[in-house]
């Protein structure tokens, strides 16, 4: 049996600089689905902060959604919303995935010393 890498994965993590925790992740079949999932999570996290709701055109199963995060006195929700809704950011992310690099986006909440990272990458082992 030969093992090869197929598909893509994505995860949202939070860190205090010393410890990391996963808020959730997903394995999908292509890079576009990785980007759709990351966009959905960015909007959910931003909208969950209580700021005005942006439309959520990205729809995937709600069972794959990440745990909510409470931001304290930062621009993190607006940065997440900007990343998810501006095409230039999405273009950079999809180009990174197409080139075989991870797509990464991190926002910080200096009031409590946390950073939140959205990450997508190629590489889910599959049996051949």
């Amino acid at each position: 049996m030969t093992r090869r890498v197929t598909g893509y994965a994505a995860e949202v993590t939070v860190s205090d600089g010393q410890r990391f925790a996963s808020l959730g992740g997903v394995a999908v079949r292509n890079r576009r689905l990785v980007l759709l999932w990351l966009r959905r999570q960015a909007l959910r996290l931003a909208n969950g902060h209580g700021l005005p709701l942006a439309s959520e055109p990205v729809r995937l199963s709600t069972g794959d959604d990440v745990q909510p995060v409470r931001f304290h006195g930062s621009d993190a929700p607006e940065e997440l919303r900007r990343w998810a809704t501006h095409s230039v950011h999405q273009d950079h992310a999809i180009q990174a995935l197409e080139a075989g690099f991870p797509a990464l986006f991190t926002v910080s909440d200096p009031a409590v010393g946390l950073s939140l990272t959205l990450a997508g990458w190629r590489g889910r082992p599959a049996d051949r």
Side-chain angles (χ1 to χ4, degrees):
M1 175 170 30
T2 303
R3 306 260 305 162
R4 64 184 178 96
V5 175
T6 64
Y8 289 78
E11 185 174 29
V12 178
T13 58
V14 65
S15 172
D16 66 3
Q18 297 177 29
R19 297 169 293 178
F20 290 85
S22 175
L23 297 178
V26 67
V28 294
R29 67 182 178 272
N30 64 55
R31 63 185 169 262
R32 296 211 180 273
L33 291 176
V34 164
L35 193 55
L36 287 173
W37 186 84
L38 290 172
R39 288 178 59 209
R40 177 177 171 76
Q41 302 317 310
L43 289 172
R44 285 187 71 252
L45 290 165
N47 292 343
H49 184 63
L51 295 176
L53 294 178
S55 63
E56 239 182 272
V58 180
R59 301 273 185 228
L60 289 179
S61 168
T62 57
D64 293 329
D65 289 338
V66 298
Q67 300 171 23
V69 171
R70 178 87 176 143
F71 297 104
H72 301 76
S74 78
D75 295 326
E78 193 53 41
E79 290 177 38
L80 287 166
R81 189 174 285 107
R82 189 177 311 113
W83 180 85
T85 60
H86 286 91
S87 61
V88 69
H89 299 299
Q90 300 308 301
D91 290 345
H92 288 296
I94 201 74
Q95 288 169 0
L97 291 169
E98 286 172 349
F101 296 105
L104 299 169
F105 180 70
T106 300
V107 295
S108 297
D109 188 347
V112 292
L114 292 178
S115 63
L116 179 97
T117 300
L118 305 168
W121 62 92
R122 183 174 185 162
R124 182 179 75 210
D127 293 331
R128 192 184 244 219

